[in-house]
Amino acid sequence: MFQENEVINLILALISILMFAFIFKKMGIPRLRLLYIGFIFILCGYLFTVIEGVIWLEFFNLLEHLCYALSGISFAAGCLSIIRHSTSEQAKNYV
């Protein structure tokens, strides 16, 4: 059986990822692909949390935590990519 707060988290995550995609697409910030992937992994983690309450508890619990770990890696790689891109742009301005 699933908990109501898990379903609410999933709904809020769906809404926030749509808002995130819309706002940042309008702003035109480069190098956001890995951040989008991180949000997708978080969304999948929330989905697996809801599913694990219904069937295959251990399997979906493993998938949930794997998605959270992969989202952290994606966010870290995305931030590193943005920092490297911005520092290379700053270096070009100084030359």
Side-chain angles (χ1 to χ4, degrees):
M1 183 156 192
F2 55 87
Q3 297 177 359
E4 291 81 16
N5 64 337
E6 294 172 349
V7 175
I8 291 171
N9 281 340
L10 178 61
I11 292 168
L12 290 175
L14 284 169
I15 293 168
S16 66
I17 198 165
L18 292 173
M19 289 173 45
F20 178 79
F22 179 74
I23 291 169
F24 284 108
K25 195 171 200 176
K26 286 275 198 186
M27 292 177 75
I29 299 173
R31 308 249 186 238
L32 288 179
R33 188 183 63 148
L34 288 170
L35 296 180
Y36 289 136
I37 291 171
F39 274 113
I40 295 296
F41 278 131
I42 286 178
L43 184 64
C44 289
Y46 287 154
L47 179 66
F48 293 146
T49 300
V50 172
I51 293 173
E52 81 180 11
V54 180
I55 57 171
W56 297 338
L57 173 70
E58 295 296 323
F59 176 70
F60 284 109
N61 189 35
L62 174 70
L63 285 179
E64 170 196 357
H65 293 286
L66 182 65
C67 284
Y68 292 147
L70 290 174
S71 72
I73 292 169
S74 296
F75 286 136
C79 290
L80 185 62
S81 174
I82 290 171
I83 290 170
R84 284 186 179 170
H85 180 71
S86 68
T87 56
S88 68
E89 289 294 321
Q90 289 174 354
K92 287 179 187 177
N93 292 336
Y94 289 121
V95 173

Coordinates of all heavy atoms in Angstrom, one line a residue:
M1 N 0.8 -1.2 0.0 CA 0.0 0.0 0.0 C 0.9 1.2 0.0 O 1.9 1.3 0.7 CB -0.9 0.0 1.2 CG -1.9 1.1 1.3 SD -3.2 0.5 2.3 CE -4.3 1.8 2.0
F2 N 0.5 2.2 -0.8 CA 1.4 3.4 -0.9 C 0.8 4.5 0.1 O -0.3 4.5 0.5 CB 1.4 4.0 -2.3 CG 0.0 4.2 -2.9 CD1 -0.6 5.4 -2.7 CD2 -0.6 3.3 -3.7 CE1 -1.8 5.7 -3.3 CE2 -1.8 3.5 -4.2 CZ -2.4 4.7 -4.0
Q3 N 1.8 5.4 0.4 CA 1.4 6.5 1.3 C 1.0 7.7 0.5 O 1.6 8.0 -0.6 CB 2.6 6.8 2.2 CG 2.9 5.6 3.1 CD 4.2 5.9 4.0 OE1 4.7 7.0 3.9 NE2 4.5 4.9 4.8
E4 N 0.2 8.5 1.1 CA -0.4 9.7 0.4 C 0.7 10.7 0.1 O 0.8 11.4 -0.9 CB -1.5 10.4 1.2 CG -2.8 9.5 1.2 CD -2.7 8.4 2.3 OE1 -1.8 8.5 3.2 OE2 -3.6 7.5 2.2
N5 N 1.7 10.9 1.1 CA 2.7 11.9 0.9 C 3.7 11.5 -0.3 O 4.2 12.4 -0.9 CB 3.5 12.1 2.2 CG 4.3 10.8 2.6 OD1 3.9 9.7 2.2 ND2 5.3 11.0 3.4
E6 N 3.8 10.2 -0.6 CA 4.6 9.8 -1.7 C 4.0 10.2 -3.0 O 4.6 10.6 -4.0 CB 4.9 8.3 -1.6 CG 5.7 7.9 -0.5 CD 5.8 6.4 -0.3 OE1 5.1 5.6 -1.0 OE2 6.7 5.9 0.5
V7 N 2.7 10.0 -3.1 CA 1.9 10.4 -4.3 C 2.0 11.9 -4.5 O 2.2 12.4 -5.6 CB 0.4 9.9 -4.2 CG1 -0.4 10.4 -5.4 CG2 0.4 8.4 -4.1
I8 N 1.8 12.7 -3.4 CA 1.9 14.1 -3.5 C 3.3 14.6 -3.9 O 3.5 15.5 -4.8 CB 1.6 14.8 -2.1 CG1 0.1 14.6 -1.9 CG2 1.9 16.3 -2.1 CD1 -0.4 15.0 -0.5
N9 N 4.4 13.9 -3.4 CA 5.7 14.2 -3.9 C 5.9 14.0 -5.4 O 6.5 14.7 -6.1 CB 6.8 13.4 -3.1 CG 7.1 13.9 -1.8 OD1 6.8 15.1 -1.5 ND2 7.6 13.1 -0.9
L10 N 5.3 12.9 -5.9 CA 5.4 12.6 -7.3 C 4.7 13.6 -8.1 O 5.2 14.1 -9.1 CB 4.8 11.2 -7.5 CG 4.7 10.7 -9.0 CD1 6.1 10.6 -9.6 CD2 4.0 9.4 -9.1
I11 N 3.5 14.0 -7.7 CA 2.7 15.1 -8.4 C 3.5 16.4 -8.4 O 3.6 17.1 -9.5 CB 1.3 15.2 -7.8 CG1 0.5 14.0 -8.1 CG2 0.6 16.5 -8.4 CD1 -0.8 13.9 -7.3
L12 N 4.1 16.8 -7.3 CA 4.8 18.0 -7.2 C 6.1 17.9 -8.0 O 6.5 18.9 -8.7 CB 5.2 18.3 -5.7 CG 4.0 18.8 -4.9 CD1 4.5 18.9 -3.4 CD2 3.4 20.0 -5.4
A13 N 6.7 16.8 -8.1 CA 7.9 16.6 -9.0 C 7.5 16.8 -10.4 O 8.3 17.4 -11.2 CB 8.5 15.3 -8.7
L14 N 6.4 16.2 -10.8 CA 6.0 16.3 -12.2 C 5.7 17.8 -12.6 O 6.2 18.3 -13.6 CB 4.7 15.5 -12.5 CG 4.8 14.0 -12.6 CD1 3.5 13.4 -12.6 CD2 5.6 13.7 -13.9
I15 N 5.1 18.5 -11.7 CA 4.8 20.0 -11.9 C 6.1 20.7 -12.0 O 6.3 21.6 -12.8 CB 3.9 20.5 -10.9 CG1 2.5 19.9 -11.0 CG2 3.8 22.0 -10.9 CD1 1.5 20.1 -9.9
S16 N 7.0 20.5 -11.0 CA 8.3 21.2 -10.9 C 9.2 21.0 -12.1 O 9.9 21.9 -12.6 CB 9.0 21.0 -9.6 OG 9.4 19.6 -9.6
I17 N 9.2 19.7 -12.6 CA 10.1 19.5 -13.8 C 9.5 20.2 -15.0 O 10.3 20.6 -15.9 CB 10.3 18.0 -14.0 CG1 11.5 17.7 -14.9 CG2 9.1 17.3 -14.6 CD1 12.0 16.3 -14.9
L18 N 8.2 20.3 -15.2 CA 7.7 21.0 -16.3 C 8.0 22.5 -16.2 O 8.4 23.1 -17.2 CB 6.2 20.8 -16.4 CG 5.7 19.4 -16.7 CD1 4.2 19.3 -16.6 CD2 6.2 19.0 -18.1
M19 N 7.9 23.0 -15.0 CA 8.2 24.4 -14.8 C 9.7 24.7 -15.0 O 10.1 25.7 -15.7 CB 7.8 24.9 -13.3 CG 6.4 25.0 -13.1 SD 5.9 25.3 -11.4 CE 7.0 26.5 -10.9
F20 N 10.5 23.8 -14.5 CA 12.0 23.9 -14.7 C 12.3 23.9 -16.2 O 13.1 24.7 -16.6 CB 12.7 22.7 -14.0 CG 14.2 22.7 -14.1 CD1 15.0 23.5 -13.4 CD2 14.7 21.8 -15.0 CE1 16.3 23.5 -13.5 CE2 16.1 21.8 -15.2 CZ 16.9 22.6 -14.4
A21 N 11.8 23.0 -16.9 CA 12.1 22.9 -18.3 C 11.6 24.1 -19.1 O 12.3 24.7 -19.9 CB 11.4 21.6 -18.9
F22 N 10.4 24.6 -18.8 CA 9.9 25.8 -19.5 C 10.7 27.0 -19.2 O 11.1 27.8 -20.1 CB 8.4 26.0 -19.0 CG 7.8 27.2 -19.7 CD1 7.4 27.2 -21.0 CD2 7.6 28.4 -18.9 CE1 6.8 28.3 -21.6 CE2 7.0 29.5 -19.5 CZ 6.6 29.5 -20.8
I23 N 11.0 27.3 -17.9 CA 11.7 28.5 -17.5 C 13.2 28.5 -18.1 O 13.6 29.5 -18.7 CB 11.8 28.6 -16.0 CG1 10.4 29.0 -15.5 CG2 12.8 29.7 -15.6 CD1 10.3 28.9 -14.0
F24 N 13.9 27.4 -18.0 CA 15.2 27.4 -18.4 C 15.4 27.3 -20.0 O 16.4 27.7 -20.5 CB 16.0 26.3 -17.8 CG 16.4 26.6 -16.3 CD1 15.8 26.0 -15.3 CD2 17.3 27.6 -16.1 CE1 16.1 26.3 -14.0 CE2 17.6 28.0 -14.8 CZ 17.0 27.3 -13.7
K25 N 14.3 26.8 -20.6 CA 14.3 26.8 -22.1 C 14.2 28.2 -22.6 O 14.8 28.6 -23.5 CB 13.2 25.9 -22.6 CG 13.3 25.6 -24.0 CD 12.3 24.5 -24.4 CE 12.8 23.9 -25.7 NZ 11.9 22.8 -26.1
K26 N 13.3 29.0 -21.9 CA 13.2 30.4 -22.2 C 14.4 31.2 -22.0 O 14.7 32.1 -22.8 CB 12.0 31.0 -21.4 CG 10.7 30.6 -21.9 CD 10.2 31.5 -23.0 CE 8.7 31.4 -23.1 NZ 8.3 32.1 -24.3
M27 N 15.1 30.9 -20.9 CA 16.3 31.7 -20.6 C 17.5 31.3 -21.5 O 18.4 32.1 -21.6 CB 16.7 31.4 -19.1 CG 15.7 32.0 -18.1 SD 16.1 31.6 -16.4 CE 17.5 32.7 -16.2
G28 N 17.5 30.2 -22.1 CA 18.6 29.8 -23.0 C 19.9 29.5 -22.3 O 21.0 29.9 -22.9
I29 N 19.9 29.0 -21.1 CA 21.2 28.7 -20.4 C 21.8 27.4 -21.0 O 21.2 26.4 -21.1 CB 20.9 28.5 -18.9 CG1 20.4 29.8 -18.3 CG2 22.2 28.1 -18.2 CD1 19.9 29.6 -16.9
P30 N 23.1 27.5 -21.5 CA 23.7 26.3 -22.1 C 24.1 25.3 -21.0 O 24.2 25.6 -19.9 CB 25.0 26.9 -22.7 CG 25.3 28.1 -21.9 CD 23.9 28.7 -21.4
R31 N 24.3 24.1 -21.5 CA 24.8 23.0 -20.7 C 23.9 22.5 -19.6 O 24.4 22.2 -18.5 CB 26.2 23.4 -20.1 CG 27.2 23.9 -21.1 CD 28.3 22.9 -21.3 NE 29.3 23.5 -22.1 CZ 29.7 22.9 -23.2 NH1 29.2 21.8 -23.6 NH2 30.6 23.4 -23.9
L32 N 22.6 22.5 -19.8 CA 21.7 22.0 -18.8 C 21.2 20.6 -19.0 O 20.4 20.1 -18.2 CB 20.5 22.9 -18.8 CG 20.7 24.3 -18.2 CD1 19.4 25.1 -18.2 CD2 21.2 24.2 -16.8
R33 N 21.7 19.9 -20.0 CA 21.3 18.6 -20.3 C 21.5 17.6 -19.1 O 20.5 16.9 -18.7 CB 22.0 18.0 -21.5 CG 21.5 16.7 -22.0 CD 22.3 16.2 -23.1 NE 23.7 16.0 -22.5 CZ 24.5 15.1 -22.9 NH1 24.2 14.3 -23.9 NH2 25.7 14.9 -22.3
L34 N 22.6 17.7 -18.4 CA 22.8 16.8 -17.3 C 21.9 17.2 -16.1 O 21.5 16.3 -15.3 CB 24.3 16.8 -16.8 CG 25.2 16.1 -17.8 CD1 26.7 16.4 -17.5 CD2 25.0 14.7 -17.8
L35 N 21.6 18.4 -15.9 CA 20.6 18.8 -14.9 C 19.2 18.3 -15.2 O 18.5 17.8 -14.3 CB 20.6 20.3 -14.7 CG 21.9 20.9 -14.2 CD1 21.8 22.5 -14.1 CD2 22.4 20.3 -13.0
Y36 N 18.8 18.3 -16.4 CA 17.5 17.7 -16.8 C 17.5 16.2 -16.5 O 16.6 15.7 -16.0 CB 17.3 17.9 -18.3 CG 16.9 19.3 -18.7 CD1 17.5 19.9 -19.9 CD2 16.1 20.1 -18.0 CE1 17.2 21.2 -20.3 CE2 15.7 21.4 -18.4 CZ 16.3 21.9 -19.5 OH 16.0 23.2 -19.9
I37 N 18.6 15.6 -16.8 CA 18.7 14.1 -16.6 C 18.6 13.9 -15.1 O 18.0 12.9 -14.6 CB 20.0 13.6 -17.2 CG1 19.9 13.6 -18.7 CG2 20.3 12.2 -16.7 CD1 21.2 13.3 -19.4
G38 N 19.3 14.7 -14.2 CA 19.2 14.6 -12.8 C 17.8 14.7 -12.3 O 17.3 13.9 -11.4
F39 N 17.0 15.6 -12.8 CA 15.6 15.8 -12.5 C 14.8 14.6 -12.9 O 13.9 14.2 -12.2 CB 15.0 17.1 -13.0 CG 15.3 18.3 -12.2 CD1 16.1 19.3 -12.6 CD2 14.7 18.4 -10.9 CE1 16.3 20.4 -11.8 CE2 14.9 19.5 -10.1 CZ 15.7 20.5 -10.6
I40 N 15.1 14.0 -14.0 CA 14.4 12.8 -14.5 C 14.6 11.7 -13.6 O 13.7 10.9 -13.2 CB 14.8 12.5 -16.0 CG1 14.3 13.6 -16.9 CG2 14.2 11.1 -16.4 CD1 12.8 13.8 -17.0
F41 N 15.9 11.5 -13.1 CA 16.2 10.5 -12.2 C 15.5 10.7 -10.8 O 15.0 9.7 -10.3 CB 17.7 10.4 -11.9 CG 18.5 9.6 -12.9 CD1 19.6 10.2 -13.5 CD2 18.1 8.4 -13.4 CE1 20.3 9.5 -14.5 CE2 18.8 7.7 -14.3 CZ 19.9 8.2 -14.9
I42 N 15.3 11.9 -10.4 CA 14.6 12.2 -9.1 C 13.1 11.8 -9.4 O 12.5 11.2 -8.5 CB 14.7 13.6 -8.7 CG1 16.1 13.8 -8.1 CG2 13.7 14.0 -7.7 CD1 16.4 15.2 -7.7
L43 N 12.6 12.2 -10.5 CA 11.2 11.8 -10.8 C 11.0 10.3 -10.9 O 10.0 9.8 -10.3 CB 10.8 12.5 -12.2 CG 9.4 12.3 -12.6 CD1 8.4 13.1 -11.6 CD2 9.2 12.9 -14.0
C44 N 11.9 9.6 -11.5 CA 11.8 8.1 -11.5 C 11.9 7.6 -10.1 O 11.2 6.6 -9.7 CB 12.9 7.6 -12.4 SG 12.7 7.9 -14.1
G45 N 12.8 8.2 -9.2 CA 12.9 7.7 -7.8 C 11.6 7.9 -7.1 O 11.1 7.0 -6.4
Y46 N 10.9 9.0 -7.3 CA 9.6 9.2 -6.7 C 8.6 8.2 -7.2 O 7.7 7.7 -6.5 CB 9.1 10.6 -7.0 CG 9.8 11.7 -6.2 CD1 9.8 13.0 -6.6 CD2 10.4 11.4 -4.9 CE1 10.4 14.0 -5.9 CE2 11.0 12.4 -4.2 CZ 11.0 13.7 -4.7 OH 11.6 14.7 -4.0
L47 N 8.6 8.0 -8.5 CA 7.7 7.0 -9.1 C 7.9 5.6 -8.5 O 7.0 4.9 -8.2 CB 7.9 7.0 -10.6 CG 7.0 6.0 -11.4 CD1 5.5 6.4 -11.3 CD2 7.4 6.0 -12.9
F48 N 9.2 5.2 -8.4 CA 9.5 3.9 -7.9 C 9.1 3.8 -6.4 O 8.8 2.7 -5.9 CB 11.0 3.6 -8.0 CG 11.4 3.4 -9.5 CD1 12.6 3.7 -9.9 CD2 10.5 2.8 -10.4 CE1 13.0 3.6 -11.2 CE2 10.9 2.6 -11.7 CZ 12.1 3.0 -12.2
T49 N 9.1 4.9 -5.7 CA 8.7 4.9 -4.3 C 7.2 4.6 -4.2 O 6.8 3.8 -3.3 CB 8.9 6.3 -3.7 OG1 10.3 6.6 -3.7 CG2 8.5 6.4 -2.2
V50 N 6.4 5.1 -5.1 CA 5.0 4.8 -5.1 C 4.7 3.4 -5.5 O 4.0 2.7 -4.9 CB 4.2 5.8 -6.0 CG1 2.8 5.4 -6.2 CG2 4.3 7.2 -5.5
I51 N 5.5 2.9 -6.5 CA 5.3 1.6 -7.0 C 5.7 0.5 -6.0 O 5.0 -0.5 -5.9 CB 6.0 1.4 -8.3 CG1 5.4 2.2 -9.4 CG2 6.0 -0.1 -8.8 CD1 6.2 2.2 -10.7
E52 N 6.7 0.8 -5.2 CA 7.2 -0.2 -4.2 C 6.2 -0.5 -3.2 O 6.2 -1.5 -2.5 CB 8.5 0.3 -3.6 CG 8.4 1.2 -2.5 CD 9.7 1.6 -1.9 OE1 10.8 1.3 -2.5 OE2 9.7 2.3 -0.9
G53 N 5.3 0.5 -2.9 CA 4.2 0.2 -2.0 C 3.2 -0.7 -2.5 O 2.4 -1.2 -1.7
V54 N 3.2 -1.0 -3.8 CA 2.2 -1.9 -4.4 C 2.7 -3.3 -4.7 O 2.2 -4.3 -4.3 CB 1.6 -1.3 -5.6 CG1 0.5 -2.2 -6.3 CG2 1.0 0.1 -5.3
I55 N 3.9 -3.3 -5.4 CA 4.5 -4.6 -5.8 C 6.0 -4.6 -5.6 O 6.6 -3.5 -5.6 CB 4.1 -5.0 -7.2 CG1 4.6 -3.9 -8.2 CG2 2.6 -5.3 -7.4 CD1 4.5 -4.3 -9.6
W56 N 6.6 -5.7 -5.5 CA 8.0 -6.0 -5.5 C 8.8 -4.9 -4.7 O 9.6 -4.2 -5.2 CB 8.6 -6.0 -6.9 CG 8.0 -7.1 -7.7 CD1 7.4 -8.3 -7.3 CD2 8.0 -7.2 -9.1 NE1 7.1 -9.1 -8.3 CE2 7.4 -8.4 -9.5 CE3 8.4 -6.3 -10.1 CZ2 7.2 -8.8 -10.8 CZ3 8.2 -6.7 -11.4 CH2 7.6 -7.9 -11.7
L57 N 8.6 -4.9 -3.4 CA 9.1 -3.9 -2.5 C 10.6 -3.8 -2.6 O 11.2 -2.7 -2.8 CB 8.8 -4.3 -1.0 CG 9.4 -3.5 0.1 CD1 8.9 -2.1 0.0 CD2 9.3 -4.1 1.4
E58 N 11.4 -4.9 -2.5 CA 12.8 -4.9 -2.5 C 13.4 -4.4 -3.9 O 14.3 -3.6 -3.9 CB 13.4 -6.2 -2.2 CG 13.1 -6.7 -0.8 CD 13.7 -5.8 0.2 OE1 14.9 -5.3 0.0 OE2 13.1 -5.6 1.3
F59 N 12.8 -4.8 -5.0 CA 13.3 -4.4 -6.3 C 13.1 -2.9 -6.6 O 14.0 -2.3 -7.0 CB 12.6 -5.3 -7.4 CG 12.9 -4.9 -8.8 CD1 14.2 -5.2 -9.3 CD2 12.0 -4.2 -9.6 CE1 14.5 -4.8 -10.6 CE2 12.3 -3.9 -10.9 CZ 13.6 -4.2 -11.4
F60 N 11.9 -2.5 -6.3 CA 11.7 -1.0 -6.6 C 12.3 -0.1 -5.6 O 12.7 1.0 -5.9 CB 10.2 -0.8 -6.7 CG 9.6 -1.2 -8.0 CD1 8.7 -2.3 -8.0 CD2 9.9 -0.6 -9.1 CE1 8.2 -2.7 -9.2 CE2 9.3 -1.0 -10.4 CZ 8.5 -2.1 -10.4
N61 N 12.6 -0.6 -4.3 CA 13.3 0.1 -3.4 C 14.8 0.3 -3.9 O 15.4 1.4 -3.8 CB 13.3 -0.6 -2.0 CG 13.9 0.3 -0.9 OD1 13.8 1.5 -0.9 ND2 14.6 -0.3 0.0
L62 N 15.3 -0.8 -4.4 CA 16.7 -0.7 -5.0 C 16.7 0.3 -6.2 O 17.6 1.1 -6.3 CB 17.1 -2.1 -5.5 CG 18.5 -2.1 -6.2 CD1 19.6 -1.8 -5.3 CD2 18.7 -3.4 -6.9
L63 N 15.7 0.2 -7.0 CA 15.7 1.2 -8.2 C 15.5 2.6 -7.7 O 16.1 3.5 -8.3 CB 14.5 0.8 -9.1 CG 14.7 -0.4 -10.0 CD1 13.5 -0.6 -10.8 CD2 15.9 -0.3 -10.9
E64 N 14.7 2.8 -6.7 CA 14.5 4.2 -6.1 C 15.9 4.7 -5.7 O 16.2 5.9 -6.0 CB 13.6 4.1 -4.9 CG 13.5 5.4 -4.1 CD 12.8 5.2 -2.8 OE1 12.4 4.0 -2.4 OE2 12.8 6.2 -2.0
H65 N 16.6 4.0 -4.9 CA 17.9 4.5 -4.3 C 18.9 4.6 -5.4 O 19.8 5.5 -5.4 CB 18.3 3.7 -3.2 CG 17.4 3.8 -2.0 ND1 17.4 4.9 -1.2 CD2 16.4 3.0 -1.5 CE1 16.5 4.8 -0.2 NE2 15.9 3.6 -0.4
L66 N 18.9 3.8 -6.4 CA 19.8 3.9 -7.5 C 19.5 5.2 -8.3 O 20.4 5.9 -8.7 CB 19.6 2.7 -8.4 CG 20.6 2.6 -9.7 CD1 22.0 2.5 -9.2 CD2 20.2 1.4 -10.5
C67 N 18.2 5.5 -8.5 CA 17.9 6.7 -9.2 C 18.3 8.0 -8.4 O 18.8 8.9 -9.0 CB 16.4 6.8 -9.4 SG 15.8 5.7 -10.8
Y68 N 18.2 7.9 -7.1 CA 18.7 9.1 -6.3 C 20.2 9.2 -6.4 O 20.7 10.3 -6.5 CB 18.3 8.9 -4.8 CG 16.8 9.0 -4.6 CD1 16.1 8.3 -3.6 CD2 16.0 9.9 -5.4 CE1 14.8 8.4 -3.4 CE2 14.6 10.0 -5.2 CZ 14.0 9.2 -4.2 OH 12.7 9.4 -4.0
A69 N 20.9 8.1 -6.4 CA 22.4 8.2 -6.5 C 22.8 8.7 -7.9 O 23.6 9.6 -8.0 CB 23.0 6.8 -6.3
L70 N 22.1 8.2 -8.9 CA 22.4 8.7 -10.3 C 22.0 10.2 -10.5 O 22.7 10.9 -11.2 CB 21.7 7.8 -11.3 CG 22.2 6.4 -11.5 CD1 21.3 5.6 -12.4 CD2 23.6 6.4 -12.0
S71 N 21.0 10.6 -9.8 CA 20.6 12.0 -9.9 C 21.7 12.9 -9.3 O 22.0 14.0 -9.8 CB 19.3 12.3 -9.2 OG 19.3 12.2 -7.8
G72 N 22.3 12.5 -8.1 CA 23.3 13.2 -7.5 C 24.6 13.3 -8.4 O 25.2 14.4 -8.5
I73 N 24.9 12.2 -9.1 CA 26.0 12.2 -10.0 C 25.7 13.1 -11.2 O 26.6 13.8 -11.6 CB 26.3 10.7 -10.5 CG1 26.8 9.9 -9.3 CG2 27.3 10.7 -11.6 CD1 26.9 8.4 -9.5
S74 N 24.5 13.1 -11.7 CA 24.2 13.9 -12.8 C 24.2 15.4 -12.5 O 24.7 16.2 -13.2 CB 22.7 13.6 -13.3 OG 22.7 12.3 -13.8
F75 N 23.7 15.7 -11.3 CA 23.8 17.1 -10.8 C 25.2 17.6 -10.7 O 25.6 18.7 -11.1 CB 23.0 17.3 -9.5 CG 21.5 17.3 -9.7 CD1 20.7 16.6 -8.8 CD2 20.9 18.0 -10.7 CE1 19.4 16.6 -9.0 CE2 19.6 18.0 -10.9 CZ 18.8 17.3 -10.0
A76 N 26.1 16.7 -10.1 CA 27.5 17.1 -9.9 C 28.2 17.3 -11.2 O 28.9 18.2 -11.4 CB 28.2 16.0 -9.1
A77 N 27.9 16.4 -12.2 CA 28.5 16.5 -13.5 C 28.0 17.7 -14.2 O 28.8 18.4 -14.9 CB 28.3 15.2 -14.3
G78 N 26.7 18.0 -14.1 CA 26.2 19.1 -14.7 C 26.7 20.4 -14.2 O 27.0 21.4 -15.0
C79 N 26.9 20.5 -12.9 CA 27.5 21.7 -12.3 C 28.9 21.9 -12.7 O 29.4 23.0 -13.0 CB 27.4 21.7 -10.8 SG 25.7 21.8 -10.2
L80 N 29.6 20.8 -12.8 CA 31.0 20.8 -13.2 C 31.1 21.3 -14.7 O 32.0 22.1 -15.0 CB 31.7 19.5 -13.1 CG 33.2 19.4 -13.4 CD1 34.0 20.3 -12.4 CD2 33.6 17.9 -13.2
S81 N 30.2 20.8 -15.5 CA 30.2 21.2 -16.9 C 29.9 22.7 -17.1 O 30.5 23.4 -17.9 CB 29.1 20.4 -17.7 OG 28.9 20.8 -19.0
I82 N 28.9 23.2 -16.3 CA 28.6 24.7 -16.3 C 29.8 25.5 -15.9 O 30.1 26.5 -16.5 CB 27.4 24.9 -15.5 CG1 26.1 24.4 -16.1 CG2 27.2 26.4 -15.3 CD1 24.9 24.4 -15.3
I83 N 30.5 25.0 -14.8 CA 31.6 25.8 -14.3 C 32.8 25.8 -15.3 O 33.4 26.8 -15.6 CB 32.1 25.2 -12.9 CG1 31.1 25.5 -11.9 CG2 33.5 25.7 -12.5 CD1 31.3 24.7 -10.6
R84 N 33.0 24.6 -15.9 CA 34.1 24.6 -16.9 C 33.8 25.4 -18.1 O 34.6 26.1 -18.7 CB 34.3 23.1 -17.3 CG 35.1 22.3 -16.3 CD 35.4 21.0 -16.9 NE 36.2 20.2 -15.9 CZ 36.4 18.9 -16.0 NH1 36.0 18.3 -17.0 NH2 37.1 18.3 -15.1
H85 N 32.5 25.4 -18.5 CA 32.1 26.2 -19.7 C 32.2 27.7 -19.4 O 32.7 28.5 -20.2 CB 30.7 25.9 -20.1 CG 30.2 26.7 -21.2 ND1 30.6 26.5 -22.5 CD2 29.3 27.7 -21.3 CE1 30.0 27.3 -23.3 NE2 29.2 28.0 -22.6
S86 N 31.8 28.1 -18.2 CA 31.9 29.5 -17.8 C 33.3 30.0 -17.7 O 33.7 31.1 -18.0 CB 31.1 29.8 -16.6 OG 31.7 29.2 -15.4
T87 N 34.2 29.2 -17.1 CA 35.6 29.6 -16.9 C 36.3 29.6 -18.3 O 37.2 30.5 -18.5 CB 36.3 28.7 -16.0 OG1 36.2 27.3 -16.4 CG2 35.8 28.8 -14.6
S88 N 35.9 28.8 -19.2 CA 36.6 28.8 -20.5 C 36.1 30.1 -21.3 O 36.9 30.7 -22.0 CB 36.3 27.6 -21.3 OG 34.9 27.5 -21.7
E89 N 34.8 30.5 -21.1 CA 34.4 31.7 -21.7 C 35.0 32.9 -21.1 O 35.4 33.9 -21.8 CB 32.8 31.8 -21.5 CG 32.0 30.9 -22.3 CD 32.2 31.1 -23.8 OE1 32.2 32.3 -24.2 OE2 32.3 30.1 -24.6
Q90 N 35.3 32.9 -19.8 CA 36.0 34.0 -19.1 C 37.4 34.1 -19.6 O 38.0 35.2 -19.8 CB 35.9 33.9 -17.6 CG 34.5 34.1 -17.0 CD 34.5 33.9 -15.5 OE1 35.4 33.4 -14.9 NE2 33.3 34.1 -14.9
A91 N 38.0 32.9 -19.8 CA 39.4 32.9 -20.2 C 39.5 33.5 -21.7 O 40.5 34.2 -22.0 CB 40.0 31.5 -20.2
K92 N 38.5 33.2 -22.5 CA 38.5 33.8 -23.9 C 38.4 35.3 -23.8 O 39.0 36.0 -24.7 CB 37.4 33.2 -24.7 CG 37.6 31.8 -25.1 CD 36.4 31.3 -25.9 CE 36.5 29.8 -26.1 NZ 35.3 29.3 -26.8
N93 N 37.7 35.8 -22.9 CA 37.5 37.3 -22.8 C 38.8 38.0 -22.3 O 39.0 39.2 -22.6 CB 36.4 37.6 -21.8 CG 35.0 37.2 -22.3 OD1 34.8 37.1 -23.5 ND2 34.1 37.0 -21.4
Y94 N 39.6 37.3 -21.6 CA 40.9 37.9 -21.1 C 42.0 37.9 -22.1 O 42.9 38.6 -22.0 CB 41.3 37.2 -19.8 CG 40.5 37.6 -18.6 CD1 39.9 36.5 -17.9 CD2 40.3 38.9 -18.2 CE1 39.0 36.8 -16.8 CE2 39.4 39.2 -17.2 CZ 38.8 38.1 -16.5 OH 38.0 38.4 -15.4
V95 N 41.9 37.0 -23.1 CA 42.9 36.9 -24.1 C 42.8 38.0 -25.2 O 41.9 38.6 -25.5 CB 42.9 35.5 -24.8 CG1 43.9 35.4 -25.9 CG2 43.2 34.5 -23.8

